[in-house]
Amino acid sequence: MPFNSLFEHIHQLPSVPAVVTELIASLDNDRISVHRVSATIHKDPNLSLKLLRSANSVRYGVGRNVATIDDALLLLGFDRVRTLVIASGMVGMLKDVPGLDRKAFWRESFMVANLSRTIVRHSQLGDLAPETAFTCGILHHVGSALMHIADPETMRRIDALVAQGAPRAELEANQFGYTFSEVGAELGRRWRFPETICNALTYQDKPLDAVPFSPYAAAVHLAIGLYHNIASGRREEHALGEMPREVRRPLALDLLALYEDILQLVRSDDELGVFLD
């Protein structure tokens, strides 16, 4: 199916909630205020309730009742609240995609998001935002949803082979002439997401091709590799040792602190239940 023809099916995807679009756009705005974010979240009562439910969960519990959005902003922090709402909105949007295993899709997305955030947090490059990395990770696989809608049978066959270890990008490029990365980046542009995020989605499979270098694409690339190595049974320590040096080196990572945090992350409880209805 030609790339442009694929997007004739975009109307079959639910719309991204306006609040999510606004919050994602705000990731590029260093001057946005806490009050502006609070006002934005208040516009969507459903997402506001999901935020409070998340904030009061065991995973994010802060030792006291979180009764309002302002409480959540104070206790969890501005950046964490923003990405919790973004994640909740995207999970709620992609509910019923034919042939897409929703639970597996979001389990991978959240782990890649958390790994991406941790990687960027330990980069010694300046001006990087861990929550932007988290958002890139949450969105990294969104292109697959449209591909499942447009050609569910081919995607079902690809999914079955990928589950046995086959390379998804190679199979998709062979069958379609493009991959979920390119589709996700184009969806992001149509949804008016910041170019920083769209660029990361474009180059997540080939981060060294991005000019200028995209640290977020590199972080997502490393996170995807870690996730798949660990999911396939590799010990966490071995998976960390197999992160490609040529991709991690430009990030100037503090490897000791990074390894310690990632081992703690991958051995912690699954947070998916906080978000799935």
Side-chain angles (χ1 to χ4, degrees), residues 138-275:
I138 278 289
L139 296 170
H140 86 278
H141 214 187
V142 71
S144 285
L146 185 58
M147 295 169 77
H148 273 88
I149 287 170
D151 194 340
E153 177 56 24
T154 300
M155 289 300 289
R156 181 194 64 77
R157 292 166 62 197
I158 289 174
D159 288 346
L161 290 170
V162 170
Q164 298 175 58
R168 176 177 294 280
E170 186 176 338
L171 289 172
E172 288 180 353
N174 176 264
Q175 292 297 302
F176 297 106
Y178 48 82
T179 71
F180 72 89
S181 300
E182 297 159 88
V183 175
E186 179 60 21
L187 281 172
R189 292 186 179 98
R190 292 178 183 229
W191 290 331
R192 299 183 181 178
F193 292 169
E195 189 58 29
T196 301
I197 290 175
C198 297
N199 200 43
L201 298 181
T202 299
Y203 290 103
Q204 61 181 303
D205 286 334
K206 46 191 180 191
L208 298 180
D209 288 356
V211 180
F213 174 69
S214 167
Y216 298 113
V220 172
H221 181 85
L222 294 174
I224 292 170
L226 279 170
Y227 172 80
H228 286 294
N229 276 333
I230 293 168
S232 66
R234 299 285 289 169
R235 286 182 57 85
E236 292 92 339
E237 297 88 343
H238 294 161
L240 284 163
E242 291 175 359
M243 287 195 301
R245 284 187 189 176
E246 67 274 15
V247 177
R248 77 178 195 219
R249 188 173 290 142
L251 287 169
L253 297 171
D254 178 345
L255 287 179
L256 179 59
L258 174 64
Y259 281 25
E260 288 172 340
D261 276 5
I262 285 182
L263 286 175
Q264 182 177 356
L265 170 64
V266 299
R267 292 169 181 172
S268 63
D269 293 337
D270 187 345
E271 69 181 312
L272 195 59
V274 174
F275 294 92

Side-chain angles (χ1 to χ4, degrees), residues 95-153:
K95 278 188 173 180
D96 300 310
V97 176
L100 189 70
D101 184 331
R102 185 174 183 237
K103 194 169 184 179
F105 177 90
W106 287 115
R107 177 172 288 112
E108 175 178 346
S109 297
F110 272 96
M111 183 54 75
V112 169
N114 281 310
L115 288 167
S116 299
R117 175 166 56 198
T118 303
I119 289 166
V120 162
R121 188 178 288 143
H122 290 290
S123 170
Q124 297 174 65
L125 299 179
D127 299 323
L128 296 186
E131 299 306 322
T132 297
F134 179 92
T135 302
C136 291
I138 278 289
L139 296 170
H140 86 278
H141 214 187
V142 71
S144 285
L146 185 58
M147 295 169 77
H148 273 88
I149 287 170
D151 194 340
E153 177 56 24

